[in-house]
Amino acid sequence: MSRLNRVFENKKAFIPFITAGDPDLETTKRLVLAMEQAGADLIELGIPFSDPVAEGPVIQEADYRALSGGVTTDMIFDMVEEIRKESDIPLAFMTYANPIYTYGTERFMSACKRGGIDAVIVPDIPFEERDEIKPFCDKYDICLISMIAPTSKERIRMIAKEAEGFIYCVSSLGVTGVRENIGSDAENMIKLVKEVKDIPCAIGFGVSTPEQAAKLSAISDGVIVGSAIIRIIAEHGRECVPFVTEYVRKMKGAML
Amino acid sequence: MTKGRFGKHGGQFIPETLMNAVIEIDEAYQHYKNDEGFCRELDDLLKNYAGRPSLLYYAEKMTRDLGGAKVYLKREDLNHTGSHKINNVLGQVLLAKKMGKKRVIAETGAGQHGVATATAAALLGLECEIFMGKEDTVRQALNVYRMELLGAKVHPVTTGTMTLKDAVNEALREWSRRVEDTHYVIGSVMGPHPFPTMVRDFQSIIGKEVKEQLLEKEGRLPDAVIACVGGGSNAIGIFYDFIEDKDVRLIGCEAAGLGIDTDKTAATIANGTMGIFHGMKSYFCQDEYGQIAPVYSISAGLDYPGIGPEHAYLHDIGRAEYVPVTDKEAVEAFEYLARTEGIIPAIESAHAVAYAMKLASKMAKEQIIVINLSGRGDKDVAAIARYRGVQIYE
């Protein structure tokens, strides 16, 4: 987990999310390397799922694009190995319980370890069900990231106590997607976490503008941006790399 | 082990945003199911509004024609709104009201659960929004208008395969957007705990009545109880009271579509593998990477790639049998029951009728089969006509 420890070291982390294989794996690899150069501190790679219930329309479409291009979990593992030949950027997988479970949870985590994945984020594995995958995460030294939401309330203490790596603070109700106003809940949620444990908190869901990034990084340890980047990828397809790079640079710049 | 397990199946695999909501429902349900006032109110609604108990009808002509076991039909089709769905919906909407919720949402496949939810919401004074796959809004256009008449807003779902599973996805997304004032009335014995247990409890009145009615008519238990299975709520409803009666065969009929050896099928026990989806661990139709398969059945209500966790468990321990029934067999049974008994069943229920027709003739005359006739077939008439090449549009 040493790569993960670097993410929040003496800085606010900028964490972009992209769906692996959207529009193809070659572009995903180029995007990862370019975003690292542009200042990304950790990159979340989505393993596309046919039925992503925590995602809004933008990321749903990215999943469909990737899947209809024939991307599979094995092909994504191969791509990660390719990335690791050229980069040491911290990497997290974001996917749903079913692609992990069906692959074989132990086989999945051991492949993560081999490929150089540092963490997994699984939105449909809540605290109560974490034993489903946590023992295998521990065995292969993959960090299972905990999520908290505006509805978590008293659950935050329980979740924070057991959390590792960092905490993913879901800023707003609903699914992923760009929002004008991001709820003021996040600040209170983070305060609650820090009362229990000194662990970095990154805010996701809805973040898109440099102004939001500046504001939210002031109250947290980092921001996670997905849909806003996926929109650029959707617009420019295989030619998206320079546009995404420019966007990441601007966002990271706003947080310094 | 976490809550709501049936063997290795079940659980609460949902985003953190919804966790407190399902915990609250569980607590409220645990409280109200033993609350005298709540039970009285629900009993009154079931009796004086839904029309329970539903009849247990001896299908004498069918029995004679098949020449084997005596066939009884549990007439859930005679309930208000035309299916078993009302049993669960009255329970959940009443619970939502007690919990202070202002709005209910629901998914629907054939439209029966949507109609039932819209009905209960109208009666109990809650706002109602229904999510229905766009494909199904076309297949079941009449039910869309029916829900609108009842004051519900219907959202056609255009993501994925535009059928029942996508309607569930969209309802879950909407619930996470407005979880504070909204209750999600899940229509089958699926989803995260406590839904599989709570929906089963509300539906178990079917089997309880069958037991009493048959003891009165025949002085004995049935030899086989047969029901169609999508998510599995009418099946678990009629099975549940017989689980301990080991001599009673429990048979769930899955939608095989064009056949379980084709990719146009929705038979989960026949073709599925273990997975985690829609809040539960159970069997699902999926590929080797866990991508949920696009499933198919002529019946919009059985067109679902999973099965409730308690059914998965009953299958594992061998207590219930699950058999595939094709579109063709179901349509023939649909027509047969109409001609023979003057009863037009829902195309979903026709899957159970089809298997009973095969089984009855192999059984002895003193044996008894009970078929759960879970819904009426008015909604399917145009689709069956089209299946037969008659171009009728609603």
Side-chain angles (χ1 to χ4, degrees), chain B residues 331-357:
Chain B
V331 170
E332 282 165 8
F334 179 93
E335 294 166 337
Y336 176 86
L337 197 68
R339 272 195 324 269
T340 313
E341 292 289 347
I343 296 170
I344 300 178
I347 188 64
E348 288 77 17
S349 323
H351 286 71
V353 175
Y355 190 74
M357 287 165 65

Side-chain angles (χ1 to χ4, degrees), chain A residues 47-57 60-61 64 67 71-74 97-99 101-103 123-129 132 147-155 159 170 172-175, chain B residues 2-3 5 8 10-20 23-24 159-160 165-166 168-170 172-174 176-180 273-278 281 284 286-293:
Chain A
I47 297 179
F49 181 46
S50 53
D51 296 84
V53 293
E55 313 301 345
Q60 284 175 47
E61 289 299 325
Y64 297 145
L67 289 173
V71 166
T72 68
T73 309
D74 282 317
N98 205 45
Y101 179 81
T102 307
Y103 195 83
D124 58 347
I125 301 266
F127 182 82
E128 282 78 353
E129 298 288 357
E132 186 66 43
M147 300 179 94
I148 57 173
T151 49
S152 297
K153 295 174 187 159
E154 74 289 351
R155 293 170 53 80
I159 294 168
V170 175
S172 331
L173 290 178
V175 292
Chain B
T2 54
K3 282 187 163 178
R5 292 287 178 154
K8 60 192 175 191
Q12 290 180 305
F13 295 91
I14 48 163
E16 172 59 25
T17 303
L18 296 174
M19 274 308 292
N20 261 330
I23 291 168
E24 275 167 36
T159 52
K165 89 169 159 75
D166 308 285
V168 174
N169 291 347
E170 224 33 64
L172 282 168
R173 289 180 184 123
E174 174 60 21
S176 70
R177 265 175 222 121
R178 246 182 90 174
V179 63
E180 306 276 348
T273 51
M274 283 282 290
I276 299 173
F277 183 50
H278 281 166
K281 190 184 265 191
F284 296 96
Q286 55 184 334
D287 72 11
E288 59 176 307
Y289 291 105
Q291 306 297 346
I292 302 301

Side-chain angles (χ1 to χ4, degrees), chain B residues 174-194:
Chain B
E174 174 60 21
W175 199 24
S176 70
R177 265 175 222 121
R178 246 182 90 174
V179 63
E180 306 276 348
D181 72 342
T182 299
H183 175 75
Y184 176 14
V185 184
I186 292 185
S188 193
V189 283
M190 48 154 291
H193 175 76

Side-chain angles (χ1 to χ4, degrees), chain B residues 212-225:
Chain B
E212 272 173 36
Q213 290 165 322
L214 200 65
L215 282 172
E216 194 176 299
K217 285 174 196 287
E218 298 277 353
R220 55 171 294 216
L221 296 179
D223 297 281
V225 174

Side-chain angles (χ1 to χ4, degrees), chain B residues 34-52:
Chain B
N34 300 313
D35 179 82
E36 215 175 296
F38 180 87
C39 294
R40 205 180 317 116
E41 224 172 312
L42 181 57
D43 281 349
D44 180 64
L45 286 171
L46 289 170
K47 188 172 166 203
N48 297 308
Y49 186 70
R52 301 209 72 88

